[in-house]
PDB file of all heavy atoms in Angstrom:
ATOM      1  N   ASN A 987     176.405  44.333 340.063  1.00 97.00           N
ATOM      2  CA  ASN A 987     177.230  43.556 339.144  1.00 97.00           C
ATOM      3  C   ASN A 987     178.351  42.869 339.960  1.00 97.00           C
ATOM      4  O   ASN A 987     179.315  43.503 340.351  1.00 97.00           O
ATOM      5  CB  ASN A 987     177.837  44.472 338.079  1.00 97.00           C
ATOM      6  CG  ASN A 987     178.551  43.732 336.994  1.00 97.00           C
ATOM      7  OD1 ASN A 987     179.201  42.729 337.237  1.00 97.00           O
ATOM      8  ND2 ASN A 987     178.390  44.185 335.763  1.00 97.00           N
ATOM      9  N   ALA A 988     178.146  41.592 340.231  1.00 95.00           N
ATOM     10  CA  ALA A 988     179.060  40.862 341.128  1.00 95.00           C
ATOM     11  C   ALA A 988     180.430  40.734 340.511  1.00 95.00           C
ATOM     12  O   ALA A 988     181.448  40.764 341.237  1.00 95.00           O
ATOM     13  CB  ALA A 988     178.467  39.490 341.477  1.00 95.00           C
ATOM     14  N   SER A 989     180.513  40.551 339.198  1.00 95.00           N
ATOM     15  CA  SER A 989     181.838  40.365 338.578  1.00 95.00           C
ATOM     16  C   SER A 989     182.668  41.653 338.606  1.00 95.00           C
ATOM     17  O   SER A 989     183.914  41.598 338.747  1.00 95.00           O
ATOM     18  CB  SER A 989     181.681  39.867 337.142  1.00 95.00           C
ATOM     19  OG  SER A 989     180.961  40.821 336.358  1.00 95.00           O
ATOM     20  N   ARG A 990     182.007  42.791 338.471  1.00 96.00           N
ATOM     21  CA  ARG A 990     182.736  44.071 338.488  1.00 96.00           C
ATOM     22  C   ARG A 990     182.714  44.764 339.848  1.00 96.00           C
ATOM     23  O   ARG A 990     183.311  45.809 340.032  1.00 96.00           O
ATOM     24  CB  ARG A 990     182.138  44.992 337.409  1.00 96.00           C
ATOM     25  CG  ARG A 990     182.214  44.408 336.007  1.00 96.00           C
ATOM     26  CD  ARG A 990     181.601  45.349 334.977  1.00 96.00           C
ATOM     27  NE  ARG A 990     182.305  46.627 334.902  1.00 96.00           N
ATOM     28  CZ  ARG A 990     182.016  47.584 334.045  1.00 96.00           C
ATOM     29  NH1 ARG A 990     180.993  47.420 333.204  1.00 96.00           N
ATOM     30  NH2 ARG A 990     182.672  48.721 334.045  1.00 96.00           N
ATOM     31  N   ARG A 991     181.943  44.193 340.772  1.00 96.00           N
ATOM     32  CA  ARG A 991     181.854  44.720 342.137  1.00 96.00           C
ATOM     33  C   ARG A 991     181.403  46.172 342.116  1.00 96.00           C
ATOM     34  O   ARG A 991     181.975  47.056 342.742  1.00 96.00           O
ATOM     35  CB  ARG A 991     183.204  44.612 342.868  1.00 96.00           C
ATOM     36  CG  ARG A 991     183.831  43.230 342.879  1.00 96.00           C
ATOM     37  CD  ARG A 991     182.997  42.285 343.716  1.00 96.00           C
ATOM     38  NE  ARG A 991     182.921  42.701 345.109  1.00 96.00           N
ATOM     39  CZ  ARG A 991     182.115  42.119 346.003  1.00 96.00           C
ATOM     40  NH1 ARG A 991     181.332  41.119 345.627  1.00 96.00           N
ATOM     41  NH2 ARG A 991     182.080  42.550 347.229  1.00 96.00           N
ATOM     42  N   GLU A 992     180.306  46.427 341.369  1.00 98.00           N
ATOM     43  CA  GLU A 992     179.780  47.774 341.317  1.00 98.00           C
ATOM     44  C   GLU A 992     178.301  47.759 340.995  1.00 98.00           C
ATOM     45  O   GLU A 992     177.762  46.761 340.512  1.00 98.00           O
ATOM     46  CB  GLU A 992     180.534  48.598 340.260  1.00 98.00           C
ATOM     47  CG  GLU A 992     180.319  48.099 338.832  1.00 98.00           C
ATOM     48  CD  GLU A 992     181.089  48.911 337.796  1.00 98.00           C
ATOM     49  OE1 GLU A 992     182.029  49.643 338.211  1.00 98.00           O
ATOM     50  OE2 GLU A 992     180.785  48.775 336.595  1.00 98.00           O
ATOM     51  N   TRP A 993     177.653  48.880 341.259  1.00 98.00           N
ATOM     52  CA  TRP A 993     176.217  49.035 340.950  1.00 98.00           C
ATOM     53  C   TRP A 993     176.063  49.457 339.475  1.00 98.00           C
ATOM     54  O   TRP A 993     176.919  50.165 338.938  1.00 98.00           O
ATOM     55  CB  TRP A 993     175.564  50.086 341.840  1.00 98.00           C
ATOM     56  CG  TRP A 993     175.542  49.731 343.291  1.00 98.00           C
ATOM     57  CD1 TRP A 993     176.335  50.173 344.276  1.00 98.00           C
ATOM     58  CD2 TRP A 993     174.611  48.814 343.911  1.00 98.00           C
ATOM     59  NE1 TRP A 993     176.019  49.583 345.477  1.00 98.00           N
ATOM     60  CE2 TRP A 993     174.948  48.777 345.283  1.00 98.00           C
ATOM     61  CE3 TRP A 993     173.557  48.040 343.427  1.00 98.00           C
ATOM     62  CZ2 TRP A 993     174.256  47.955 346.197  1.00 98.00           C
ATOM     63  CZ3 TRP A 993     172.869  47.216 344.356  1.00 98.00           C
ATOM     64  CH2 TRP A 993     173.213  47.196 345.684  1.00 98.00           C
ATOM     65  N   THR A 994     174.963  49.015 338.904  1.00 97.00           N
ATOM     66  CA  THR A 994     174.627  49.456 337.542  1.00 97.00           C
ATOM     67  C   THR A 994     173.110  49.719 337.508  1.00 97.00           C
ATOM     68  O   THR A 994     172.379  49.153 338.314  1.00 97.00           O
ATOM     69  CB  THR A 994     175.012  48.404 336.484  1.00 97.00           C
ATOM     70  OG1 THR A 994     174.735  48.917 335.189  1.00 97.00           O
ATOM     71  CG2 THR A 994     174.220  47.108 336.701  1.00 97.00           C
ATOM     72  N   LEU A 995     172.693  50.601 336.641  1.00 97.00           N
ATOM     73  CA  LEU A 995     171.259  50.938 336.506  1.00 97.00           C
ATOM     74  C   LEU A 995     170.645  50.145 335.392  1.00 97.00           C
ATOM     75  O   LEU A 995     171.161  50.116 334.257  1.00 97.00           O
ATOM     76  CB  LEU A 995     171.105  52.431 336.261  1.00 97.00           C
ATOM     77  CG  LEU A 995     171.454  53.368 337.424  1.00 97.00           C
ATOM     78  CD1 LEU A 995     171.283  54.835 336.988  1.00 97.00           C
ATOM     79  CD2 LEU A 995     170.564  53.079 338.631  1.00 97.00           C
ATOM     80  N   LEU A 996     169.530  49.451 335.715  1.00 97.00           N
ATOM     81  CA  LEU A 996     168.808  48.678 334.725  1.00 97.00           C
ATOM     82  C   LEU A 996     167.375  49.222 334.653  1.00 97.00           C
ATOM     83  O   LEU A 996     166.867  49.775 335.616  1.00 97.00           O
ATOM     84  CB  LEU A 996     168.810  47.210 335.098  1.00 97.00           C
ATOM     85  CG  LEU A 996     170.163  46.484 335.063  1.00 97.00           C
ATOM     86  CD1 LEU A 996     169.988  45.010 335.442  1.00 97.00           C
ATOM     87  CD2 LEU A 996     170.824  46.588 333.712  1.00 97.00           C
ATOM     88  N   PRO A 997     166.703  48.994 333.502  1.00 97.00           N
ATOM     89  CA  PRO A 997     165.310  49.481 333.376  1.00 97.00           C
ATOM     90  C   PRO A 997     164.364  48.722 334.300  1.00 97.00           C
ATOM     91  O   PRO A 997     164.548  47.533 334.564  1.00 97.00           O
ATOM     92  CB  PRO A 997     164.995  49.226 331.900  1.00 97.00           C
ATOM     93  CG  PRO A 997     165.927  48.161 331.475  1.00 97.00           C
ATOM     94  CD  PRO A 997     167.202  48.355 332.264  1.00 97.00           C
ATOM     95  N   ASP A 998     163.343  49.423 334.755  1.00 97.00           N
ATOM     96  CA  ASP A 998     162.316  48.800 335.585  1.00 97.00           C
ATOM     97  C   ASP A 998     160.960  49.453 335.324  1.00 97.00           C
ATOM     98  O   ASP A 998     160.625  50.495 335.863  1.00 97.00           O
ATOM     99  CB  ASP A 998     162.686  48.963 337.071  1.00 97.00           C
ATOM    100  CG  ASP A 998     161.681  48.246 337.969  1.00 97.00           C
ATOM    101  OD1 ASP A 998     160.850  47.507 337.442  1.00 97.00           O
ATOM    102  OD2 ASP A 998     161.738  48.456 339.207  1.00 97.00           O
ATOM    103  N   TYR A 999     160.206  48.777 334.439  1.00 96.00           N
ATOM    104  CA  TYR A 999     158.832  49.224 334.143  1.00 96.00           C
ATOM    105  C   TYR A 999     157.814  48.278 334.728  1.00 96.00           C
ATOM    106  O   TYR A 999     156.647  48.304 334.345  1.00 96.00           O
ATOM    107  CB  TYR A 999     158.651  49.291 332.596  1.00 96.00           C
ATOM    108  CG  TYR A 999     159.500  50.339 331.930  1.00 96.00           C
ATOM    109  CD1 TYR A 999     160.757  50.042 331.423  1.00 96.00           C
ATOM    110  CD2 TYR A 999     159.025  51.616 331.799  1.00 96.00           C
ATOM    111  CE1 TYR A 999     161.539  51.011 330.812  1.00 96.00           C
ATOM    112  CE2 TYR A 999     159.799  52.626 331.162  1.00 96.00           C
ATOM    113  CZ  TYR A 999     161.055  52.286 330.670  1.00 96.00           C
ATOM    114  OH  TYR A 999     161.806  53.271 330.085  1.00 96.00           O
ATOM    115  N   SER A1000     158.266  47.431 335.641  1.00 95.00           N
ATOM    116  CA  SER A1000     157.381  46.375 336.171  1.00 95.00           C
ATOM    117  C   SER A1000     156.197  46.910 336.959  1.00 95.00           C
ATOM    118  O   SER A1000     155.177  46.238 337.037  1.00 95.00           O
ATOM    119  CB  SER A1000     158.205  45.431 337.054  1.00 95.00           C
ATOM    120  OG  SER A1000     158.781  46.126 338.157  1.00 95.00           O
ATOM    121  N   SER A1001     156.309  48.097 337.516  1.00 93.00           N
ATOM    122  CA  SER A1001     155.203  48.653 338.333  1.00 93.00           C
ATOM    123  C   SER A1001     154.503  49.796 337.639  1.00 93.00           C
ATOM    124  O   SER A1001     153.713  50.509 338.273  1.00 93.00           O
ATOM    125  CB  SER A1001     155.736  49.108 339.695  1.00 93.00           C
ATOM    126  OG  SER A1001     156.705  50.129 339.536  1.00 93.00           O
ATOM    127  N   ARG A1002     154.751  49.982 336.362  1.00 94.00           N
ATOM    128  CA  ARG A1002     154.171  51.116 335.642  1.00 94.00           C
ATOM    129  C   ARG A1002     153.147  50.614 334.613  1.00 94.00           C
ATOM    130  O   ARG A1002     153.364  49.600 333.950  1.00 94.00           O
ATOM    131  CB  ARG A1002     155.240  51.921 334.882  1.00 94.00           C
ATOM    132  CG  ARG A1002     156.247  52.579 335.812  1.00 94.00           C
ATOM    133  CD  ARG A1002     157.073  53.575 335.065  1.00 94.00           C
ATOM    134  NE  ARG A1002     157.938  54.332 335.956  1.00 94.00           N
ATOM    135  CZ  ARG A1002     158.397  55.557 335.721  1.00 94.00           C
ATOM    136  NH1 ARG A1002     158.084  56.150 334.564  1.00 94.00           N
ATOM    137  NH2 ARG A1002     159.155  56.181 336.565  1.00 94.00           N
ATOM    138  N   PRO A1003     152.035  51.364 334.446  1.00 96.00           N
ATOM    139  CA  PRO A1003     151.124  51.017 333.365  1.00 96.00           C
ATOM    140  C   PRO A1003     151.751  51.374 332.029  1.00 96.00           C
ATOM    141  O   PRO A1003     152.444  52.368 331.891  1.00 96.00           O
ATOM    142  CB  PRO A1003     149.901  51.896 333.632  1.00 96.00           C
ATOM    143  CG  PRO A1003     150.396  53.027 334.455  1.00 96.00           C
ATOM    144  CD  PRO A1003     151.551  52.484 335.250  1.00 96.00           C
ATOM    145  N   LEU A1004     151.489  50.525 331.032  1.00 97.00           N
ATOM    146  CA  LEU A1004     152.058  50.705 329.689  1.00 97.00           C
ATOM    147  C   LEU A1004     150.959  50.683 328.660  1.00 97.00           C
ATOM    148  O   LEU A1004     149.931  50.029 328.829  1.00 97.00           O
ATOM    149  CB  LEU A1004     153.088  49.614 329.411  1.00 97.00           C
ATOM    150  CG  LEU A1004     154.253  49.458 330.396  1.00 97.00           C
ATOM    151  CD1 LEU A1004     155.094  48.252 330.071  1.00 97.00           C
ATOM    152  CD2 LEU A1004     155.096  50.723 330.457  1.00 97.00           C
ATOM    153  N   TRP A1005     151.217  51.397 327.540  1.00 97.00           N
ATOM    154  CA  TRP A1005     150.220  51.484 326.477  1.00 97.00           C
ATOM    155  C   TRP A1005     150.880  51.175 325.134  1.00 97.00           C
ATOM    156  O   TRP A1005     152.053  51.537 324.897  1.00 97.00           O
ATOM    157  CB  TRP A1005     149.591  52.867 326.408  1.00 97.00           C
ATOM    158  CG  TRP A1005     148.736  53.204 327.594  1.00 97.00           C
ATOM    159  CD1 TRP A1005     147.405  52.999 327.737  1.00 97.00           C
ATOM    160  CD2 TRP A1005     149.172  53.790 328.831  1.00 97.00           C
ATOM    161  NE1 TRP A1005     146.942  53.409 328.960  1.00 97.00           N
ATOM    162  CE2 TRP A1005     148.029  53.887 329.675  1.00 97.00           C
ATOM    163  CE3 TRP A1005     150.403  54.188 329.326  1.00 97.00           C
ATOM    164  CZ2 TRP A1005     148.078  54.433 330.951  1.00 97.00           C
ATOM    165  CZ3 TRP A1005     150.459  54.714 330.600  1.00 97.00           C
ATOM    166  CH2 TRP A1005     149.326  54.839 331.412  1.00 97.00           C
ATOM    167  N   ASN A1006     150.134  50.509 324.262  1.00 97.00           N
ATOM    168  CA  ASN A1006     150.573  50.300 322.892  1.00 97.00           C
ATOM    169  C   ASN A1006     150.491  51.628 322.109  1.00 97.00           C
ATOM    170  O   ASN A1006     149.460  52.309 322.176  1.00 97.00           O
ATOM    171  CB  ASN A1006     149.743  49.228 322.211  1.00 97.00           C
ATOM    172  CG  ASN A1006     149.979  47.863 322.817  1.00 97.00           C
ATOM    173  OD1 ASN A1006     151.096  47.394 322.884  1.00 97.00           O
ATOM    174  ND2 ASN A1006     148.902  47.225 323.265  1.00 97.00           N
ATOM    175  N   LYS A1007     151.543  51.940 321.386  1.00 97.00           N
ATOM    176  CA  LYS A1007     151.569  53.238 320.727  1.00 97.00           C
ATOM    177  C   LYS A1007     150.584  53.358 319.580  1.00 97.00           C
ATOM    178  O   LYS A1007     150.099  54.466 319.285  1.00 97.00           O
ATOM    179  CB  LYS A1007     152.981  53.518 320.193  1.00 97.00           C
ATOM    180  CG  LYS A1007     154.026  53.717 321.297  1.00 97.00           C
ATOM    181  CD  LYS A1007     155.410  53.952 320.665  1.00 97.00           C
ATOM    182  CE  LYS A1007     156.452  54.216 321.757  1.00 97.00           C
ATOM    183  NZ  LYS A1007     157.791  54.443 321.167  1.00 97.00           N
ATOM    184  N   HIS A1008     150.259  52.250 318.937  1.00 95.00           N
ATOM    185  CA  HIS A1008     149.427  52.394 317.709  1.00 95.00           C
ATOM    186  C   HIS A1008     147.990  52.697 317.987  1.00 95.00           C
ATOM    187  O   HIS A1008     147.300  53.289 317.183  1.00 95.00           O
ATOM    188  CB  HIS A1008     149.560  51.124 316.861  1.00 95.00           C
ATOM    189  CG  HIS A1008     148.877  49.918 317.446  1.00 95.00           C
ATOM    190  ND1 HIS A1008     149.487  49.177 318.458  1.00 95.00           N
ATOM    191  CD2 HIS A1008     147.692  49.321 317.196  1.00 95.00           C
ATOM    192  CE1 HIS A1008     148.694  48.196 318.809  1.00 95.00           C
ATOM    193  NE2 HIS A1008     147.593  48.245 318.053  1.00 95.00           N
ATOM    194  N   ASP A1009     147.489  52.252 319.183  1.00 94.00           N
ATOM    195  CA  ASP A1009     146.050  52.526 319.452  1.00 94.00           C
ATOM    196  C   ASP A1009     145.741  52.870 320.898  1.00 94.00           C
ATOM    197  O   ASP A1009     144.591  52.978 321.292  1.00 94.00           O
ATOM    198  CB  ASP A1009     145.245  51.296 319.059  1.00 94.00           C
ATOM    199  CG  ASP A1009     145.590  50.057 319.866  1.00 94.00           C
ATOM    200  OD1 ASP A1009     146.529  50.146 320.706  1.00 94.00           O
ATOM    201  OD2 ASP A1009     144.932  49.008 319.666  1.00 94.00           O
ATOM    202  N   ALA A1010     146.801  53.061 321.750  1.00 95.00           N
ATOM    203  CA  ALA A1010     146.619  53.471 323.135  1.00 95.00           C
ATOM    204  C   ALA A1010     145.957  52.390 323.992  1.00 95.00           C
ATOM    205  O   ALA A1010     145.452  52.685 325.078  1.00 95.00           O
ATOM    206  CB  ALA A1010     145.843  54.767 323.256  1.00 95.00           C
ATOM    207  N   SER A1011     145.944  51.178 323.537  1.00 95.00           N
ATOM    208  CA  SER A1011     145.413  50.071 324.354  1.00 95.00           C
ATOM    209  C   SER A1011     146.489  49.686 325.373  1.00 95.00           C
ATOM    210  O   SER A1011     147.684  49.948 325.211  1.00 95.00           O
ATOM    211  CB  SER A1011     145.071  48.871 323.493  1.00 95.00           C
ATOM    212  OG  SER A1011     146.209  48.383 322.794  1.00 95.00           O
ATOM    213  N   PHE A1012     146.031  49.035 326.485  1.00 96.00           N
ATOM    214  CA  PHE A1012     146.985  48.631 327.495  1.00 96.00           C
ATOM    215  C   PHE A1012     147.920  47.547 326.941  1.00 96.00           C
ATOM    216  O   PHE A1012     147.481  46.644 326.264  1.00 96.00           O
ATOM    217  CB  PHE A1012     146.248  48.064 328.721  1.00 96.00           C
ATOM    218  CG  PHE A1012     145.740  49.148 329.636  1.00 96.00           C
ATOM    219  CD1 PHE A1012     144.362  49.404 329.746  1.00 96.00           C
ATOM    220  CD2 PHE A1012     146.605  49.962 330.360  1.00 96.00           C
ATOM    221  CE1 PHE A1012     143.872  50.385 330.565  1.00 96.00           C
ATOM    222  CE2 PHE A1012     146.126  50.963 331.197  1.00 96.00           C
ATOM    223  CZ  PHE A1012     144.762  51.193 331.297  1.00 96.00           C
ATOM    224  N   ALA A1013     149.194  47.700 327.261  1.00 97.00           N
ATOM    225  CA  ALA A1013     150.215  46.751 326.775  1.00 97.00           C
ATOM    226  C   ALA A1013     150.508  45.715 327.833  1.00 97.00           C
ATOM    227  O   ALA A1013     150.196  45.869 329.011  1.00 97.00           O
ATOM    228  CB  ALA A1013     151.489  47.509 326.412  1.00 97.00           C
ATOM    229  N   THR A1014     151.112  44.620 327.390  1.00 96.00           N
ATOM    230  CA  THR A1014     151.510  43.553 328.296  1.00 96.00           C
ATOM    231  C   THR A1014     152.585  44.062 329.261  1.00 96.00           C
ATOM    232  O   THR A1014     153.510  44.759 328.831  1.00 96.00           O
ATOM    233  CB  THR A1014     152.051  42.352 327.506  1.00 96.00           C
ATOM    234  OG1 THR A1014     151.052  41.917 326.581  1.00 96.00           O
ATOM    235  CG2 THR A1014     152.437  41.215 328.442  1.00 96.00           C
ATOM    236  N   PRO A1015     152.505  43.783 330.562  1.00 95.00           N
ATOM    237  CA  PRO A1015     153.517  44.255 331.507  1.00 95.00           C
ATOM    238  C   PRO A1015     154.919  43.754 331.127  1.00 95.00           C
ATOM    239  O   PRO A1015     155.065  42.686 330.548  1.00 95.00           O
ATOM    240  CB  PRO A1015     153.039  43.649 332.846  1.00 95.00           C
ATOM    241  CG  PRO A1015     151.576  43.409 332.673  1.00 95.00           C
ATOM    242  CD  PRO A1015     151.385  43.061 331.234  1.00 95.00           C
ATOM    243  N   VAL A1016     155.925  44.545 331.467  1.00 96.00           N
ATOM    244  CA  VAL A1016     157.306  44.239 331.183  1.00 96.00           C
ATOM    245  C   VAL A1016     158.022  43.892 332.468  1.00 96.00           C
ATOM    246  O   VAL A1016     157.889  44.579 333.473  1.00 96.00           O
ATOM    247  CB  VAL A1016     157.982  45.434 330.502  1.00 96.00           C
ATOM    248  CG1 VAL A1016     159.483  45.185 330.295  1.00 96.00           C
ATOM    249  CG2 VAL A1016     157.329  45.743 329.156  1.00 96.00           C
ATOM    250  N   SER A1017     158.781  42.827 332.462  1.00 96.00           N
ATOM    251  CA  SER A1017     159.467  42.373 333.663  1.00 96.00           C
ATOM    252  C   SER A1017     160.604  43.322 334.027  1.00 96.00           C
ATOM    253  O   SER A1017     161.118  44.056 333.180  1.00 96.00           O
ATOM    254  CB  SER A1017     160.051  40.962 333.454  1.00 96.00           C
ATOM    255  OG  SER A1017     159.027  40.037 333.154  1.00 96.00           O
ATOM    256  N   ARG A1018     160.967  43.305 335.280  1.00 95.00           N
ATOM    257  CA  ARG A1018     162.063  44.116 335.791  1.00 95.00           C
ATOM    258  C   ARG A1018     163.363  43.729 335.095  1.00 95.00           C
ATOM    259  O   ARG A1018     163.682  42.575 334.924  1.00 95.00           O
ATOM    260  CB  ARG A1018     162.208  43.933 337.281  1.00 95.00           C
ATOM    261  CG  ARG A1018     163.001  45.009 337.990  1.00 95.00           C
ATOM    262  CD  ARG A1018     163.087  44.744 339.474  1.00 95.00           C
ATOM    263  NE  ARG A1018     163.488  45.885 340.202  1.00 95.00           N
ATOM    264  CZ  ARG A1018     164.073  45.862 341.395  1.00 95.00           C
ATOM    265  NH1 ARG A1018     164.303  44.691 341.964  1.00 95.00           N
ATOM    266  NH2 ARG A1018     164.388  46.949 342.003  1.00 95.00           N
ATOM    267  N   GLY A1019     164.125  44.744 334.660  1.00 96.00           N
ATOM    268  CA  GLY A1019     165.376  44.489 333.982  1.00 96.00           C
ATOM    269  C   GLY A1019     165.257  44.402 332.473  1.00 96.00           C
ATOM    270  O   GLY A1019     166.274  44.332 331.785  1.00 96.00           O
ATOM    271  N   VAL A1020     164.022  44.398 331.934  1.00 96.00           N
ATOM    272  CA  VAL A1020     163.793  44.290 330.497  1.00 96.00           C
ATOM    273  C   VAL A1020     163.528  45.693 329.942  1.00 96.00           C
ATOM    274  O   VAL A1020     162.734  46.468 330.519  1.00 96.00           O
ATOM    275  CB  VAL A1020     162.623  43.348 330.205  1.00 96.00           C
ATOM    276  CG1 VAL A1020     162.332  43.323 328.714  1.00 96.00           C
ATOM    277  CG2 VAL A1020     162.899  41.961 330.733  1.00 96.00           C
ATOM    278  N   ALA A1021     164.172  46.033 328.851  1.00 96.00           N
ATOM    279  CA  ALA A1021     163.990  47.337 328.227  1.00 96.00           C
ATOM    280  C   ALA A1021     162.602  47.438 327.637  1.00 96.00           C
ATOM    281  O   ALA A1021     161.944  46.450 327.294  1.00 96.00           O
ATOM    282  CB  ALA A1021     165.025  47.561 327.143  1.00 96.00           C
ATOM    283  N   LEU A1022     162.111  48.686 327.574  1.00 96.00           N
ATOM    284  CA  LEU A1022     160.770  48.907 327.035  1.00 96.00           C
ATOM    285  C   LEU A1022     160.777  48.664 325.533  1.00 96.00           C
ATOM    286  O   LEU A1022     161.601  49.191 324.792  1.00 96.00           O
ATOM    287  CB  LEU A1022     160.389  50.375 327.310  1.00 96.00           C
ATOM    288  CG  LEU A1022     158.879  50.737 327.227  1.00 96.00           C
ATOM    289  CD1 LEU A1022     158.125  49.976 328.312  1.00 96.00           C
ATOM    290  CD2 LEU A1022     158.699  52.214 327.386  1.00 96.00           C
ATOM    291  N   PRO A1023     159.840  47.833 325.023  1.00 96.00           N
ATOM    292  CA  PRO A1023     159.747  47.608 323.577  1.00 96.00           C
ATOM    293  C   PRO A1023     159.470  48.919 322.841  1.00 96.00           C
ATOM    294  O   PRO A1023     158.843  49.823 323.381  1.00 96.00           O
ATOM    295  CB  PRO A1023     158.580  46.635 323.446  1.00 96.00           C
ATOM    296  CG  PRO A1023     158.474  45.965 324.778  1.00 96.00           C
ATOM    297  CD  PRO A1023     158.880  47.013 325.785  1.00 96.00           C
TER     298      PRO A1023
END
């Protein structure tokens, strides 16, 4: 965080396989920094 001059933790699911909860099908990949739907 450049404005606060400190580190912060953000979500990173970009390298993980994801599944849709309703039927266990593969879900669309999520970009780094985006929360899991």
Side-chain angles (χ1 to χ4, degrees):
N987 188 322
S989 61
R990 301 179 62 178
R991 307 293 299 171
E992 65 182 16
W993 295 102
T994 184
L995 290 177
L996 294 181
D998 184 9
Y999 294 92
S1000 59
S1001 61
R1002 296 192 173 206
L1004 304 174
W1005 292 268
N1006 292 305
K1007 292 180 178 179
H1008 69 281
D1009 62 357
S1011 61
F1012 281 110
T1014 303
V1016 174
S1017 300
R1018 198 180 196 204
V1020 177
L1022 198 65

